């Protein structure tokens, strides 16, 4: 997905599907920031990315552990690590450095970061961005890819 694109999801299942489609564009060593309020679909989207890479573990938001690490299989059948961060409780760049965020970005992994405002600052805006908003209806979500 290049440029800016907007999609509307009408269910959690559809948000997962959008995550699967997005995953096809990801390459190792990339970082994607996921921006949006609580319940806006960020974790469902990550579940879709993980489905694409054939992750067999249960995918949850890592709110209290900061990062969940999943192993998957890339399209060329090589192993890929998916590092799923939740930075909701991180309050400073120093804390990001303390958790070693830089060490998770490498040639065998992708990083998906919920609550990515500090990560965006840390990586100087050099990350892919997906914005999540609540729609007008209860299960409607608006996803903006930048």
């Amino acid at each position: 997905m290049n440029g800016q694109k907007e999609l509307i999801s009408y269910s959690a299942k559809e948000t997962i599907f959008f995550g699967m489609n997005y995953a096809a564009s990801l390459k190792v060593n990339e970082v994607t920031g996921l921006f949006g309020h609580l319940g806006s679909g960020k974790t469902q989207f990550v579940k879709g990315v993980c489905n694409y890479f054939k992750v067999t573990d249960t995918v949850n938001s890592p709110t209290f552990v900061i990062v969940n690490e999943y192993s998957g299989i890339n399209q060329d059948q090589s192993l890929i690590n998916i590092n799923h961060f939740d930075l909701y409780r991180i309050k400073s760049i120093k804390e990001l450095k303390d958790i070693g965020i830089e060490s998770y970005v490498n040639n065998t992994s992708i990083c998906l970061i919920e609550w990515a405002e500090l990560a965006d600052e840390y990586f100087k805006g050099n990350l892919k961005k997906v914005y999540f908003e609540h729609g007008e209806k209860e299960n409607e979500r608006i996803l903006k890819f930048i």
Side-chain angles (χ1 to χ4, degrees):
M1 293 183 181
N2 295 330
Q4 188 169 348
K5 183 176 183 176
E6 183 174 304
L7 298 172
I8 298 176
S9 170
Y10 297 97
S11 68
K13 187 175 181 180
E14 195 168 20
T15 302
I16 291 170
F17 177 75
F18 291 158
M20 290 179 70
N21 286 340
Y22 178 79
S25 73
L26 293 174
K27 297 173 181 58
V28 293
N29 212 27
E30 285 190 322
V31 180
T32 299
L34 308 174
F35 302 84
H37 295 290
L38 284 171
S40 61
K42 297 180 299 292
T43 301
Q44 296 304 314
F45 186 81
V46 171
K47 287 180 182 181
V49 171
C50 288
N51 283 348
Y52 177 85
F53 289 112
K54 299 175 179 63
V55 169
T56 58
D57 295 326
T58 301
V59 176
N60 301 339
S61 182
T63 302
F64 296 103
V65 295
I66 310 299
V67 63
N68 286 335
E69 299 176 60
Y70 304 108
S71 294
I73 300 171
N74 214 335
Q75 291 306 301
D76 65 2
Q77 301 305 308
S78 63
L79 294 179
I80 187 169
N81 297 313
I82 297 101
N83 301 308
H84 176 203
F85 290 86
D86 184 324
L87 301 183
Y88 182 76
R89 297 167 13 128
I90 301 296
K91 302 299 180 207
S92 70
I93 296 292
K94 181 187 179 313
E95 286 183 77
L96 275 182
K97 290 178 182 177
D98 289 346
I99 64 170
I101 194 163
E102 190 77 28
S103 67
Y104 290 92
V105 181
N106 59 59
N107 290 328
T108 61
S109 70
I110 58 170
C111 294
L112 305 167
I113 304 176
E114 296 188 36
W115 303 98
E117 289 77 8
L118 277 175
D120 192 32
E121 183 181 336
Y122 179 79
F123 290 110
K124 298 178 179 18
N126 292 321
L127 46 109
K128 296 172 92 172
K129 297 174 182 145
V130 183
Y131 292 87
F132 297 79
E133 299 173 8
H134 292 276
E136 292 180 15
K137 298 183 177 129
E138 182 179 347
N139 292 322
E140 188 177 277
R141 301 294 184 265
I142 301 162
L143 287 73
K144 296 178 184 174
F145 301 85
I146 298 176

